[in-house]
Amino acid sequence: MDVSTLDPWAKIELLGPSGLWAEFKASHQGSSSLDQFMFYLRKLVPDFVSKGFFPAHFTQNLETIKKVGTNPRDPHIPTPDEMAALLDLCEARDAELGRLIRAFAFSGARKSGLLGQDGLSWERVDFTRHTITLLEKGRKFRTIPMGLQLFALLAELRERSPTDTGLVFRIGSSREDTAQIILKECTGQAGEEVRDMKIFHNLRHYFRTQHMR
C-alpha cells in the first residue's frame, strides 16, 4: 500500500498503530529503534484515544504490536584462547576485515570509533604513549590505553602505510556489512563458546571482561 501521498493524519487514520509500526519497521534497522517506537506508541495512543483524537479501537490494535527484543546485555564471554581461534577464522576469510574485527575486540570501540568519517585516524594513534583516541557517545572523544595486542596490530598496519595521516580503516558501508557477515558466520564455525560474539557490539563486552585484564 502506497501511503506516501497522504498527509500525516490521514496516514494514521488509515494505518492505525500496528500499520504505523510496520511502516517504521520497513524503513529502520535495529530492534532497539523498533522497541522505542513501540513504547512511544503505547504512551501516545491511549492518551489520544482519551482525548477523542483517535478512535477507541486503536487501543486494541495497539496490543498487537509486540516487543522485538534487543541483544542480550550480558553475553557469554569466551576465553582469550577461544576468542583467538575465532579471530583467526575471521582473518583467514578476509585479511583486511579480519584485522578490523580484531581491532574491535582489542579496543572495545563502538563502530563510530573505528569507522566512518570520524573513525580512528593515524593522528589519534600515539605509539609513544601507547594510547588511541576514539569517538564515543555524545560525539565526545576519549583517550584510552592500547593493550599489547592492539598495539601490535596497529604497529603492523602502520608499517604498511608509514606516512598516511588519514583513517586507519578505510572501509565503506558494504565492506562493513561483509565484516559483520564474516563475524557471524565464523562464530557458527568456531563453536558454542563464542556464540554471542557474532555482532560488533558484543566484542565490547569481551574487551571489558577479558582483554582489559
Side-chain angles (χ1 to χ4, degrees), residues 18-207:
S18 62
L20 287 175
W21 185 85
E23 187 183 53
F24 185 84
K25 182 179 180 180
S27 59
H28 288 74
Q29 298 295 320
S31 55
S32 61
S33 296
L34 293 170
D35 287 342
Q36 287 169 15
F37 188 55
M38 181 204 70
F39 291 132
Y40 170 74
L41 288 174
R42 287 195 182 278
K43 289 183 176 295
L44 175 74
V45 171
D47 183 55
F48 273 32
V49 168
S50 69
K51 291 180 171 64
F53 297 143
F54 288 169
H57 74 266
F58 270 25
T59 303
Q60 291 180 320
N61 179 263
L62 184 65
E63 296 304 316
T64 65
I65 305 175
K66 304 300 180 182
K67 184 177 180 181
V68 175
T70 57
N71 295 304
R73 293 290 182 183
D74 298 309
H76 175 79
I77 303 300
T79 66
D81 286 344
E82 290 162 348
M83 178 59 79
L86 170 61
L87 296 177
D88 286 345
L89 275 177
C90 293
E91 195 162 336
R93 285 279 301 273
D94 187 300
E96 179 188 37
L97 297 181
R99 294 187 186 98
L100 171 66
I101 294 169
R102 285 185 188 274
F104 279 118
F106 297 155
S107 69
R110 298 177 183 277
K111 283 201 297 184
S112 59
L114 295 185
L115 300 174
Q117 183 177 352
D118 295 315
L120 182 64
S121 67
W122 286 115
E123 293 176 336
R124 289 192 269 111
V125 177
D126 191 327
F127 287 107
T128 302
R129 293 183 174 85
H130 286 221
T131 62
I132 57 173
T133 301
L134 298 172
L135 181 67
E136 292 286 301
K137 267 188 175 180
R139 297 200 59 78
K140 296 180 180 179
F141 286 93
R142 182 167 67 96
T143 298
I144 63 172
M146 282 191 281
L148 295 176
Q149 290 172 303
L150 181 60
F151 183 90
L153 171 63
L154 293 181
E156 177 192 348
L157 293 176
R158 191 55 173 159
E159 288 180 2
R160 298 167 182 264
S161 53
T163 61
D164 192 355
T165 59
L167 296 174
V168 176
F169 297 100
R170 295 181 175 177
I171 292 174
S173 58
S174 61
R175 288 284 282 161
E176 177 188 330
D177 292 342
T178 301
Q180 181 62 80
I181 292 171
I182 288 173
L183 178 59
K184 183 176 181 180
E185 292 179 350
C186 287
T187 55
Q189 297 174 29
E192 184 66 13
E193 293 305 315
V194 296
R195 63 185 182 275
D196 290 339
M197 297 295 105
K198 59 186 176 182
I199 59 174
F200 290 148
H201 179 79
N202 283 355
L203 296 178
R204 287 169 53 82
H205 292 281
Y206 169 78
F207 172 78

